Amino acid sequence: MSIIIKPIQTEKTTKIGQKHKKYVFEVGLSANKIEIRKAIETMFGVIVESVQTNITIGKSRSRMSKRGFIQGKSSNRKKATITLKEGQEINFNENLS
């Protein structure tokens, strides 16, 4: 089971990160706040002040094909919003080379 799947970097999350020192990550569905906090602190070497999570329920999808009507569902996702202590920062661009 992986706790941290990937950071979510959109225009909205970038603005929140710059202004309020909050970062958004996609996490495993079974991960709890304590596990998320420990994973972020060890992975990035920062001090986490708070963790907020929300689960987005997957949408049902349908389409027509040659074989008929196909129904499916996109998967559920869990997002964690991390607030860092004053003076802490995560720089995602420093690991790129």
Side-chain angles (χ1 to χ4, degrees):
M1 176 191 86
S2 64
I3 297 172
I4 306 296
I5 297 172
K6 65 180 178 180
I8 298 175
Q9 291 184 310
T10 61
E11 290 183 32
K12 187 174 184 178
T13 60
T14 304
K15 285 181 185 178
I16 291 171
Q18 292 172 351
K19 190 172 182 181
H20 300 290
K21 300 297 181 208
K22 291 186 179 187
Y23 299 93
V24 182
F25 294 90
E26 185 175 341
V27 297
L29 282 171
S30 61
N32 61 29
K33 292 182 180 185
I34 297 168
E35 293 172 341
I36 296 167
R37 175 189 300 260
K38 288 179 184 178
I40 293 293
E41 287 178 348
T42 57
M43 190 179 298
F44 295 105
V46 294
I47 300 170
V48 175
E49 189 172 291
S50 68
V51 178
Q52 298 163 332
T53 61
N54 65 335
I55 296 176
T56 304
I57 305 299
K59 294 181 179 180
S60 60
R61 312 273 174 144
S62 58
R63 66 184 174 101
M64 284 296 292
S65 70
K66 289 181 180 179
R67 295 187 172 259
F69 193 68
I70 299 173
Q71 285 187 314
K73 182 178 178 272
S74 60
S75 59
N76 298 340
R77 292 177 21 161
K78 186 173 188 177
K79 294 189 288 185
T81 304
I82 310 297
T83 305
L84 300 180
K85 290 270 188 185
E86 197 68 37
Q88 301 284 315
E89 186 175 322
I90 296 175
N91 189 357
F92 295 112
N93 297 329
E94 68 185 21
N95 294 335
L96 298 176
S97 51

